[in-house]
Amino acid sequence: KDTQMLRRFLRTDAARTAAATGHEISIVKEKRIIANETFRTLCTRVSALILVNGKAPYSEFIDQLNVIITHLLPGKTERKKKN
């Protein structure tokens, strides 16, 4: 339900922004925004559950999620080193 409300908000906001600026937001960009917000919501909820229940029940899920992220975003997950 939260995800549906978030999607509606993002679509409305994107339409309003496009109308105000005269630019159309591509469907791909809109979907990426929705995916990013949904992922952040998931991370926030898992973090809250970890605070309440401890890390042990969620460690396998977190490990699997990290593998997926590393696979989908090669090179994006490494921190840049300062010289």
Side-chain angles (χ1 to χ4, degrees):
K1 190 173 184 177
D2 291 339
T3 303
Q4 290 174 345
M5 289 189 327
L6 179 61
R7 286 181 183 158
R8 275 188 272 157
F9 169 77
L10 291 173
R11 278 195 300 267
T12 303
D13 186 56
R16 184 183 52 142
T17 301
T21 61
H23 296 101
E24 290 294 323
I25 296 176
S26 72
I27 296 232
V28 173
K29 184 174 182 180
E30 179 185 352
K31 299 300 179 189
R32 186 176 65 240
I33 291 169
I34 292 169
N36 287 340
E37 291 299 322
T38 303
F39 178 74
R40 285 190 185 106
T41 300
L42 173 68
C43 290
T44 301
R45 289 183 181 177
V46 170
S47 294
L49 289 168
I50 288 171
L51 288 174
V52 172
N53 301 321
K55 187 176 180 180
Y58 308 99
S59 62
E60 186 178 339
F61 172 75
I62 293 168
D63 291 342
Q64 290 174 351
L65 194 58
N66 285 335
V67 168
I68 291 169
I69 292 167
T70 303
H71 178 71
L72 292 176
L73 302 172
K76 299 276 185 180
T77 56
E78 297 176 10
R79 293 181 184 251
K80 292 182 181 179
K81 294 181 181 177
K82 293 182 179 179
N83 293 335

